[in-house]
């Protein structure tokens, strides 16, 4: 599921933050009802097989033997025992998952999971992610960012552009859908919900994203509210694209103001395939020491020039499970974890598939799934069938596709009930929405929550199934109206 939005109800005052955020990390563990919890940031969801194996070791040796995928493409380990923090840090550090202890909670970078993989792929923005992560880990000022501050990198297909980023980069495509941004084309930079954007040269995108985050920190300090995210800034200190343009000029980055930078980003049609496809299900959610992000202007393609107009070829639907056909004869496998939870055995099967049949890489998605790139076309169907036999979601027609739930009891003491067990019973009865009627918003994600915090709920339009003292309450949440609740938190 996509990340929880942080948009506050219309007319409400911005929150006053008198302390730092309490988001867990790999080194700052959270005491949950089922033991300690660690959240391991995985920038852009990219893992090597060695890193994936280390996470499985940590789950089996220190936790409850399961790995949870979050709506930001990160990994949570639950049921950790007291005193395990040193061993956990050692396992993760040895695998390269903790490049900077001081920055580990702020490495929140979400990227299009199929970038560079499908047949008509837009730009491969994974380079942006790697460079931005290096810049963040080298920045002293970035340590002041909240553990909830989110960078979003969209490859131009529109799959993650609307998922609530504080700083968003969207690769612009030319009329033929060619790879342009990381290779020297242009990108749009947005902050929060400002409809305007800044057009910048693609190679400048990582530095520009860091400069925008630093501009937010300046605005947050001036506001005196302790804001954790761009949308929490009071109106008189709101951060806009024009404000960020000044920070980019100071960093030597050329930018052009684009008033309609928030135009819809949607794929023109999914091309994800499956050996035995069910009903179509398209997306429904609307260097070491790189130095500071300052310096002389570099020479790049003119950011004032917009890409050529014209329709682009359809990119694959990155939220759907199945086989993704690549342009080079190789295929990728996309699977989803039921309710975002994987046993260590399932995780090791994914890791072994990546190592023995793929490119040795795993990509975690904001839909709580895993993409395995680089499989020979002849092996893809058999490998997908093996993953299906292991209990993973591999077909868009699965009754578990587009279903999600918070942790619920017994893992969360705030939950009113065991929502996952209740949801499993509902699915078995053929009624994933209480009451036995079809979902009030056909095709929209359905999300079950144990309390009003609705941790980890989807972005955009979704069906809200909320546990109350009188049973479950069902409603539809629209993009222009968040639940009338307390603060929601990414899970």
């Amino acid at each position: 599921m996509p990340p929880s939005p942080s948009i506050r109800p219309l007319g409400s005052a911005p929150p006053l933050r008198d302390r730092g955020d309490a988001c867990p990390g790999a080194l700052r563990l959270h005491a949950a009802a089922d033991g300690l919890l660690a959240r391991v940031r995985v920038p852009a969801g990219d893992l090597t097989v060695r890193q994936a194996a280390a996470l499985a070791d940590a789950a089996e040796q220190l936790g409850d033997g399961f790995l949870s995928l979050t709506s930001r493409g990160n990994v949570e380990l639950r049921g950790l025992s007291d005193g395990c923090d040193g061993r956990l840090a050692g396992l993760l550090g040895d695998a390269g998952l903790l490049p900077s202890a001081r920055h580990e909670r702020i490495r929140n970078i979400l990227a299009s999971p199929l970038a560079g993989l499908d047949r008509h792929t837009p730009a491969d923005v994974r380079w942006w992610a790697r460079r931005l992560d290096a810049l963040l880990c080298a920045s002293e000022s970035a340590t002041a960012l909240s553990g909830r501050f989110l960078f979003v990198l969209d490859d131009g297909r529109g799959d993650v552009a609307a998922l609530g980023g504080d700083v968003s980069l969207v690769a612009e495509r030319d009329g033929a859908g060619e790879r342009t941004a990381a290779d020297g084309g242009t990108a749009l930079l947005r902050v929060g919900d400002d409809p305007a954007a800044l057009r910048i040269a693609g190679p400048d995108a990582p530095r520009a994203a860091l400069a925008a985050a630093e501009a937010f920190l300046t605005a947050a300090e001036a506001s005196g509210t302790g804001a954790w995210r761009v949308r929490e800034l009071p109106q008189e200190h709101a951060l806009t694209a024009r404000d960020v343009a000044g920070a980019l000029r100071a960093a030597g980055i050329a930018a052009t103001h684009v008033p309609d930078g928030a135009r819809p980003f949607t794929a023109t049609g999914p091309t994800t395939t499956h050996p035995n496809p069910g009903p179509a299900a398209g997306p429904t959610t609307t260097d070491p020491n790189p130095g500071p992000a300052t310096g002389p202007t570099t020479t790049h393609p003119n950011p004032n020039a917009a890409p050529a107009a014209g329709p682009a070829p359809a990119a694959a639907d990155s939220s759907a499970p199945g086989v993704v056909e690549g342009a080079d004869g190789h295929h990728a496998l996309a699977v989803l974890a039921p309710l975002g939870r994987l046993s260590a055995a399932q995780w090791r099967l994914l890791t072994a598939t990546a190592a023995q049949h793929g490119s040795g890489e795993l990509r975690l998605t904001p839909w709580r799934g895993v993409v395995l790139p680089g499989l020979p076309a002849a092996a893809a169907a058999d490998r997908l069938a093996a993953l299906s036999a292991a209990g993973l979601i591999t077909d868009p027609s699965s009754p578990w596709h587009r279903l999600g739930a918070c942790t619920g009891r017994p893992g969360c003491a705030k939950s009113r009930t065991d929502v996952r067990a209740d949801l499993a019973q509902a699915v078995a009865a053929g009624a994933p929405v209480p009451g036995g009627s079809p979902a009030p918003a056909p095709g929209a994600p359905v999300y079950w929550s144990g309390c009003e915090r609705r941790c980890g709920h989807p972005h955009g339009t979704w069906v809200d199934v909320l546990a109350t003292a009188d049973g479950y309450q069902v409603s539809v949440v629209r993009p222009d109206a968040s639940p009338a609740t307390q603060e929601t938190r990414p899970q």
Side-chain angles (χ1 to χ4, degrees):
M1 294 293 176
S4 300
S6 61
I7 301 173
R8 60 180 185 267
L10 294 176
S12 66
L16 294 177
R17 307 292 192 184
D18 57 1
R19 58 174 177 79
D21 75 276
C23 273
L27 301 179
R28 179 197 285 183
L29 306 186
H30 169 71
D34 57 351
L36 296 177
L37 177 153
R39 183 174 298 158
V40 183
R41 267 63 175 189
V42 184
D46 287 346
L47 288 171
T48 64
V49 293
R50 178 168 174 258
Q51 291 171 332
L55 288 168
D57 289 343
E60 289 181 325
Q61 297 174 21
L62 307 175
D64 62 4
F66 287 82
L67 300 95
S68 296
L69 306 185
T70 80
S71 56
R72 291 185 169 188
N74 295 319
V75 174
E76 283 185 352
L77 303 172
R78 302 187 68 97
L80 300 169
S81 57
D82 290 336
C84 76
D85 49 339
R87 290 181 62 195
L88 178 62
L91 280 171
L92 301 179
D94 290 345
L97 289 166
L98 290 175
S100 172
R102 298 185 63 218
H103 297 82
E104 63 101 1
R105 292 192 318 117
I106 67 166
R107 300 168 67 224
N108 296 302
I109 304 174
L110 184 62
S112 296
L114 297 186
L117 296 183
D118 53 316
R119 181 169 291 172
H120 300 296
T121 186
D124 187 350
V125 297
R126 319 299 284 193
W127 175 85
W128 289 353
R130 291 189 292 271
R131 179 61 176 161
L132 175 57
D133 186 36
L135 289 168
L136 281 172
C137 289
S139 169
E140 180 65 28
S141 62
T143 60
L145 289 172
S146 159
R148 301 183 186 183
F149 194 90
L150 178 64
F151 296 91
V152 169
L153 314 182
D154 192 291
D155 66 2
R157 79 185 67 218
D159 57 349
V160 297
L163 299 188
D166 293 283
V167 175
S168 300
L169 295 170
V170 180
E172 292 193 288
R173 302 168 65 181
D174 65 16
E178 297 295 326
R179 305 181 187 190
T180 59
D183 291 334
T186 58
L188 293 178
L189 183 149
R190 292 186 58 215
V191 288
D193 295 320
D194 185 5
L198 298 173
R199 178 171 288 120
I200 57 177
D204 284 333
R207 286 201 305 135
L210 178 58
E214 291 171 337
F216 160 74
L217 290 173
T218 299
E221 182 177 8
S223 75
T225 63
W228 295 340
R229 306 197 63 186
V230 170
R231 296 167 184 83
E232 295 181 353
L233 291 169
Q235 187 61 39
E236 61 272 22
H237 292 281
L239 187 67
T240 68
R242 290 195 182 279
D243 298 325
V244 174
L248 298 191
R249 282 194 298 272
I253 300 172
T256 302
H257 190 264
V258 181
D260 61 344
R263 66 184 185 276
F265 294 99
T266 56
T268 54
T271 59
T272 304
T273 60
H274 188 275
N276 182 24
T284 58
T285 56
T286 24
D287 89 301
N289 190 25
T294 58
T297 303
T298 52
T299 302
H300 295 308
N302 182 8
N304 296 308
D317 174 9
S318 59
S319 69
V323 175
V324 181
E325 298 180 0
D328 59 356
H330 286 83
H331 290 178
L333 302 183
V335 301
L336 300 175
L339 301 183
R341 192 93 158 133
L342 293 169
S343 68
Q346 290 172 319
W347 183 267
R348 290 195 186 279
L349 176 60
L350 288 164
T351 304
T353 302
Q356 298 169 17
H357 303 280
S359 63
E361 170 192 3
L362 298 85
R363 297 186 181 184
L364 309 183
T365 81
W367 298 280
R368 295 184 168 97
V370 182
V371 174
L372 306 179
L375 279 78
D382 287 344
R383 293 303 96 207
L384 191 70
L387 296 175
S388 178
L392 299 174
I393 301 170
T394 61
D395 190 330
S397 66
S398 166
W400 289 98
H401 187 213
R402 301 194 182 285
L403 287 182
C406 70
T407 296
R409 287 189 176 273
C412 177
K414 297 183 184 298
S415 179
R416 295 187 176 95
T417 184
D418 186 343
V419 293
R420 295 184 175 219
D422 292 346
L423 175 53
Q425 291 180 0
V427 171
V433 177
S437 60
V446 176
Y447 198 81
W448 290 49
S449 302
C451 75
E452 287 77 7
R453 294 188 307 163
R454 298 172 171 89
C455 293
H457 69 70
H459 203 79
T461 298
W462 53 284
V463 179
D464 176 33
V465 182
L466 174 66
T468 72
D470 300 318
Y472 283 100
Q473 170 185 299
V474 180
S475 61
V476 178
V477 178
R478 307 289 180 184
D480 56 350
S482 59
T485 65
Q486 306 168 29
E487 170 192 30
T488 60
R489 293 187 279 187
Q491 181 178 313

